[in-house]
């Protein structure tokens, strides 16, 4: 039997007392338990998060183009950002796992952490409405929005621009390895710009590993130019 939901710890995270604890119980239940899990709430929460962030970007950056706002939103709503916020809140400590997923380290999976915080947002939206969901999102994402003085470039896009500006071949990516169970995989990806340079990095998804590898290679190449 799973441990009961720690509603006190949950209330500290979301900033209010849950009206319907069953929604949050579902939001914090991983599929490995064999019970109904958080996937539907994750789907809903992802859309609520995107709407709130998009609305806030539209309001805070009145001179930004559609492309600039899209770049900002991509970073703010990314799996890496969601996972970092979930880990900072220690949300994974409230997730119920099956025995195998627990022993496989599901508690430390960035993918699961990101999914869980989106599911939590979905539960909060259904339980307390859009205003409560918006208050939570702005409390946790607000500093990042304020800190975006310029629309950030995705590392893969920035690396491609660097290569094209210097007449180099576009970056090429390849998966070096994939390890871990299906619910908590680890990818290692390599990227190179012709024969000029190469870098490798790991991530909880192929996309995350490619992003990290691109950032590492770009930093190396820019460092060589100084």
């Amino acid at each position: 039997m799973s441990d009961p939901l720690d509603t006190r710890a949950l209330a500290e995270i979301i900033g209010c007392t849950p009206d319907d604890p069953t929604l949050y119980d579902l939001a914090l239940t991983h599929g490995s338990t064999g019970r109904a899990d958080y996937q539907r709430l994750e789907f809903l929460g992802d859309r609520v998060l995107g709407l709130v962030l998009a609305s806030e970007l539209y309001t805070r950056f009145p001179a930004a183009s559609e492309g600039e706002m899209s770049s900002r939103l991509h970073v703010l709503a990314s799996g890496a950002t969601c996972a970092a916020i979930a880990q900072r809140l220690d949300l994974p400590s409230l997730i119920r796992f099956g025995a195998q997923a627990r022993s496989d380290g599901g508690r430390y999976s960035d993918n699961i952490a990101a999914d869980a915080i989106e599911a939590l947002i979905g539960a909060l939206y259904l339980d307390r409405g859009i205003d409560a969901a918006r208050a939570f999102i702005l409390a946790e994402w607000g500093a990042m929005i304020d800190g975006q003085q310029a629309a950030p470039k995705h590392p893969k896009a920035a690396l491609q621009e660097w290569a094209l500006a210097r007449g180099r071949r576009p970056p090429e990516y390849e998966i070096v390895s994939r390890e871990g169970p299906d619910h908590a995989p680890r990818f290692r990806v390599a990227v190179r710009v012709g024969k000029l340079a190469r870098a490798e990095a790991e991530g909880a998804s192929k996309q995350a590993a490619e992003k990290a590898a691109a950032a590492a290679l770009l930093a190396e190449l820019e460092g060589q130019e100084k």
Side-chain angles (χ1 to χ4, degrees):
M1 182 177 294
S2 299
D3 295 333
L5 178 66
D6 187 342
T7 54
R8 179 176 297 180
L10 175 64
E12 291 180 358
I13 289 174
I14 63 176
C16 60
T17 301
D19 286 338
D20 184 357
T22 62
L23 284 169
Y24 303 93
D25 184 89
L26 185 60
L28 296 170
T29 298
H30 187 257
S32 61
T33 60
R35 300 166 48 195
D37 61 31
Y38 57 55
Q39 289 187 341
R40 282 172 52 83
L41 283 171
E42 175 203 345
F43 169 84
L44 176 61
D46 175 67
R47 275 66 184 174
V48 174
L49 175 63
L51 173 62
V52 170
L53 290 175
S55 176
E56 198 66 17
L57 290 170
Y58 184 88
T59 300
R60 294 195 192 190
F61 300 97
S65 68
E66 182 272 340
E68 290 171 335
M69 289 190 292
S70 293
S71 294
R72 294 177 188 274
L73 181 61
H74 178 83
V75 173
L76 291 167
S78 69
T81 299
C82 289
I85 292 173
Q87 297 287 6
R88 174 168 54 78
L89 293 172
D90 198 26
L91 184 63
S93 68
L94 299 182
I95 301 173
R96 270 70 59 81
F97 294 98
Q100 186 61 53
R102 189 182 304 112
S103 65
D104 286 341
R107 160 72 176 79
Y108 304 102
S109 166
D110 283 346
N111 280 351
I112 293 174
D115 291 347
I117 199 165
E118 289 181 338
L120 181 68
I121 291 169
L124 184 57
Y125 168 74
L126 292 178
D127 183 39
R128 301 292 295 264
I130 188 62
D131 288 342
R134 182 177 185 276
F136 171 74
I137 292 167
L138 295 186
E140 303 305 331
W141 272 261
M144 287 191 64
I145 299 174
D146 289 335
Q148 288 189 353
Q149 298 302 317
K153 286 185 179 178
H154 193 283
K156 290 181 66 175
L159 179 60
Q160 174 129 338
E161 288 182 10
W162 186 97
L164 293 177
R166 290 157 181 79
R168 301 287 183 175
R169 295 177 58 183
E172 298 178 1
Y173 297 84
E174 63 175 332
I175 297 176
V176 176
S177 64
R178 182 192 186 283
E179 300 177 347
D182 288 342
H183 66 270
R186 296 294 299 176
F187 290 84
R188 187 165 189 83
V189 166
V191 59
R192 69 175 185 272
V193 175
K195 297 181 179 180
L196 183 64
R198 182 179 185 276
E200 293 187 9
E202 293 186 356
S205 67
K206 175 176 175 286
Q207 293 80 6
E210 287 181 348
K211 179 180 178 181
L217 182 54
L218 182 61
E220 178 183 340
L221 292 170
E222 290 180 337
Q224 292 175 0
E225 293 183 331
K226 294 180 179 179

